[in-house]
Amino acid sequence: MIDKNNPEININELMQKVRDEVARRKNRFRLPVVSTFNIEASVMDWKISHIQALLRNAESRAIVRTKWPDNLNRFPFNLIRGIQKIALKILNFIFKDQREVNFNVINALKESTELNRQLIAQVETLRSQLDEQLSTVATPFDELNERLSTVHTHIEGLSENLSLVNTRIQGMDDRWDTINSSTNSRMSDIQKRLDAVDSRVQRIDEHLDSVNTRVQGQNERYIRNDTYLKNDLSQQKRLLTLFLEEAQQRLPQPLSQDQLQTFVNENQHSLDGFYAAFEDRFRGTREEITKKLKVYLPIIAEAQIGTQDSPILDVGCGRGEWLELIRESGYIAKGIDINRVMVEQCQARELEVIESDAIAYLQSLPDASLGAVTGFHIIEHLPFPLLIKLFNEVARVLKTNGLAIFETPNPQNLLVGACDFYSDPTHLNPLHPEMIQFLLNYQGLSNVQLLYLNPVENSPFDQEAPGMQTLRNWFFGPRDYAVVGYKI
């Protein structure tokens, strides 16, 4: 019954209408002063008074019943007053919770009504303040509207001026296109001339490069020849100095047999300069030889030699590529050679190299004093009796688990064995790989292995047919081989 007679007042809807009205007025340049509001205050007061009357009526009906209604106090109901009192107590006890709920609802509605009255008062106050503020804001908006009109007029004038400027710019663009077309034509002609000049300059550069290459080659030949001449002059100077010193010691007596033998021994160095030049021409560059020798570094590392207690000796060290490589790898090594020119070249590179005969130097060493003995392209220069003697001394001076490495041309490559081997006039005979392997075994070394190295590239016999494989091994097989033996 209360719900039916209580019209709902939605405060959120009311505030939203106020916000919409404010937003509507702000979106206009000229804002009118608000004179009316959607909900009249007098109507709201009447509705609230009506709600309060309904609540009072509901409150009077929700109190505890102490007597029967008047229409039930008549005959014959008045004859059972005792039963009426008991019935009233039972009814009051049954509807006790309902009465509490009713009182709570009534109190809540009273508070809600009072809050609605306060909100209506606040809304009225806000409406008055908004009307005053909007009235104050309306005047600046009028002034702003007038200024915008003035600005609009200026903008229209600027638009006309811009149209004129655009017309002039279009004319200038047409002139620029004409000038640009003419300039492009001229630039094309200039570019063609520059291309022709560049072509001539490029041909001149190529010619200069060719000249520089020829000059560089001539300079290298001059430097090489100068080195050869210096070596020959140094050898001749050494011979002359030796002869004069010996002659001064014997004058006025004739030269003795020992002094003559000294001259004979010195004569074996007469070709040192030639052989150093020959090595530079036919052996290959230092870089090429160093690259090929790197194949032996894993063998040295695995044997754990090249230390102070197990040094490496390289016999016939030549230009010292192997000594330089193992020094860079952190190993200790020494070289010997009978060629004075090459010994001086190695010493100039701060390599530990002495002038000595290989067998004589090995004979001067105690037993088991070296970790390794190496020789690259040295054994093919020795007669067979000296070769046996060399291997015998190598086996004697090696420590236990020491190793020997000797590399030589491979005669199983027919071009090497029949032709290239004899390009060196100091070579004696090609050495068969298995014969050298047997010789090291015979002299006391064990686990002697053969390593075939430096095959010829771009073989035309690369097919898998057996005949092709044989031809490849004969003519394009490894050019060198090495024997590696260990002392157990």
Side-chain angles (χ1 to χ4, degrees):
M1 183 175 179
I2 294 174
D3 293 338
K4 292 181 180 179
N5 293 285
N6 182 19
E8 183 179 1
I9 299 173
N10 194 330
I11 301 301
N12 292 330
E13 181 180 358
L14 183 63
M15 292 303 297
Q16 185 61 39
K17 290 181 179 181
V18 173
R19 295 190 190 98
D20 294 340
E21 181 66 18
V22 173
R24 184 181 64 80
R25 296 189 180 192
K26 286 184 177 180
N27 290 331
R28 299 176 57 187
F29 287 122
R30 303 181 68 116
L31 296 175
V33 179
V34 177
S35 58
T36 60
F37 197 71
N38 290 337
I39 301 176
E40 294 293 339
S42 59
V43 175
M44 295 298 296
D45 288 338
W46 179 83
K47 290 183 178 181
I48 290 173
S49 298
H50 180 67
I51 292 171
Q52 289 176 344
L54 294 175
L55 289 174
R56 284 193 298 270
N57 184 29
E59 186 176 8
S60 64
R61 292 178 178 273
I63 62 177
V64 178
R65 293 287 183 179
T66 59
K67 64 178 182 177
W68 287 89
D70 293 337
N71 56 356
L72 295 179
N73 287 326
R74 300 175 184 174
F75 181 83
F77 299 105
N78 56 0
L79 298 178
I80 54 174
R81 293 185 182 275
I83 297 174
Q84 289 180 356
K85 291 179 181 181
I86 294 171
L88 285 174
K89 289 181 181 182
I90 294 172
L91 290 174
N92 287 331
F93 178 76
I94 293 173
F95 293 103
K96 179 181 178 182
D97 293 338
Q98 182 64 42
R99 284 197 305 275
E100 291 180 1
V101 172
N102 292 340
F103 275 115
N104 290 333
V105 172
I106 291 168
N107 290 332
L109 290 174
K110 284 181 178 181
E111 292 178 2
S112 175
T113 304
E114 185 62 28
L115 287 175
N116 287 337
R117 188 184 296 277
Q118 293 176 4
L119 288 174
I120 291 171
Q122 291 178 2
V123 168
E124 284 294 327
T125 303
L126 289 174
R127 186 182 67 176
S128 301
Q129 292 176 356
L130 284 174
D131 289 341
E132 292 176 0
Q133 292 179 1
L134 291 175
S135 299
T136 304
V137 172
T139 301
F141 273 114
D142 292 338
E143 296 177 356
L144 181 61
N145 191 21
E146 293 178 0
R147 292 181 182 179
L148 288 175
S149 299
T150 305
V151 170
H152 182 68
T153 303
H154 287 299
I155 290 174
E156 289 180 350
L158 289 173
S159 297
E160 294 178 358
N161 292 333
L162 285 174
S163 298
L164 295 175
V165 171
N166 286 333
T167 303
R168 295 179 181 178
I169 290 174
Q170 185 64 37
M172 293 176 66
D173 287 340
D174 294 339
R175 295 179 184 178
W176 173 252
D177 290 339
T178 303
I179 295 172
N180 192 26
S181 177
S182 176
T183 303
N184 288 337
S185 178
R186 295 179 182 178
M187 289 297 293
S188 178
D189 294 339
I190 294 173
Q191 186 63 41
K192 290 180 180 179
R193 296 179 183 178
L194 289 175
D195 291 340
V197 172
D198 288 340
S199 178
R200 294 178 184 176
V201 170
Q202 185 176 1
R203 288 197 297 270
I204 293 172
D205 288 340
E206 292 175 355
H207 179 69
L208 290 175
D209 291 339
S210 176
V211 171
N212 288 334
T213 302
R214 291 197 297 270
V215 170
Q216 185 176 0
Q218 291 177 358
N219 288 337
E220 291 177 356
R221 288 195 294 273
Y222 290 151
I223 293 172
R224 191 181 302 113
N225 292 334
D226 183 63
T227 303
Y228 301 158
L229 291 174
K230 287 181 179 179
N231 292 333
D232 287 340
L233 290 174
S234 177
Q235 184 66 26
Q236 293 176 13
K237 181 179 179 181
R238 186 181 295 108
L239 290 173
L240 289 174
T241 301
L242 179 63
F243 177 78
L244 291 174
E245 288 177 353
E246 294 293 337
Q248 288 176 356
Q249 291 177 3
R250 293 296 299 173
L251 288 176
Q253 299 296 327
L255 295 175
S256 65
Q257 186 66 30
D258 293 338
Q259 291 171 329
L260 292 175
Q261 186 61 40
T262 301
F263 293 137
V264 172
N265 293 337
E266 190 66 23
N267 187 53
Q268 68 180 352
H269 296 291
S270 61
L271 295 178
D272 286 357
F274 164 79
Y275 197 76
F278 178 85
E279 285 275 310
D280 290 340
R281 172 63 179 82
F282 291 96
R283 175 72 170 143
T285 64
R286 295 184 63 86
E287 292 75 14
E288 293 172 347
I289 300 305
T290 300
K291 183 178 180 181
K292 292 178 180 179
L293 291 174
K294 288 182 178 179
V295 69
Y296 300 106
L297 290 179
I299 300 175
I300 300 296
E302 184 179 0
Q304 297 181 355
I305 57 175
T307 62
Q308 193 70 38
D309 296 333
S310 300
I312 301 171
L313 176 66
D314 187 33
V315 297
C317 61
R319 297 178 301 185
E321 294 95 342
W322 172 241
L323 292 175
E324 195 168 29
L325 177 61
I326 57 178
R327 181 181 66 180
E328 293 174 355
S329 300
Y331 301 112
I332 296 175
K334 179 187 290 186
I336 58 173
D337 204 296
I338 60 173
N339 189 306
R340 288 177 177 172
V341 174
M342 292 185 175
V343 170
E344 291 174 357
Q345 291 179 357
C346 290
Q347 291 174 348
R349 295 179 179 273
E350 300 182 354
L351 299 172
E352 187 177 356
V353 176
I354 61 174
E355 179 188 342
S356 177
D357 176 74
I359 297 177
Y361 185 80
L362 289 171
Q363 290 175 340
S364 68
L365 298 177
D367 294 348
S369 56
L370 296 177
V373 178
T374 61
F376 300 95
H377 292 262
I378 181 68
I379 59 177
E380 65 270 16
H381 294 264
L382 302 178
F384 188 70
L386 288 181
L387 182 59
I388 295 178
K389 195 171 185 179
L390 173 67
F391 286 166
N392 185 41
E393 291 297 326
V394 168
R396 181 184 65 83
V397 299
L398 283 178
K399 289 176 173 286
T400 302
N401 297 323
L403 62 90
I405 301 175
F406 288 94
E407 181 181 299
T408 188
N410 178 23
Q412 291 180 331
N413 183 317
L414 297 184
L415 290 177
V416 173
C419 178
D420 294 345
F421 181 86
Y422 297 101
S423 63
D424 188 339
T426 62
H427 284 178
L428 294 181
N429 298 301
L431 301 173
H432 195 278
E434 295 179 1
M435 185 274 292
I436 298 298
Q437 182 183 29
F438 169 79
L439 188 56
L440 281 180
N441 271 321
Y442 183 79
Q443 293 299 328
L445 298 183
S446 303
N447 192 24
V448 181
Q449 304 171 11
L450 288 173
L451 302 179
Y452 291 94
L453 308 168
N454 309 319
V456 181
E457 298 179 354
N458 301 322
S459 169
F461 307 115
D462 283 337
Q463 296 144 3
E464 296 298 329
M468 290 295 181
Q469 294 291 325
T470 302
L471 290 174
R472 183 180 65 180
N473 292 333
W474 282 355
F475 297 101
F476 292 89
R479 298 179 60 85
D480 303 299
Y481 74 91
V483 284
V484 181
Y486 296 85
K487 184 175 181 180
I488 305 300

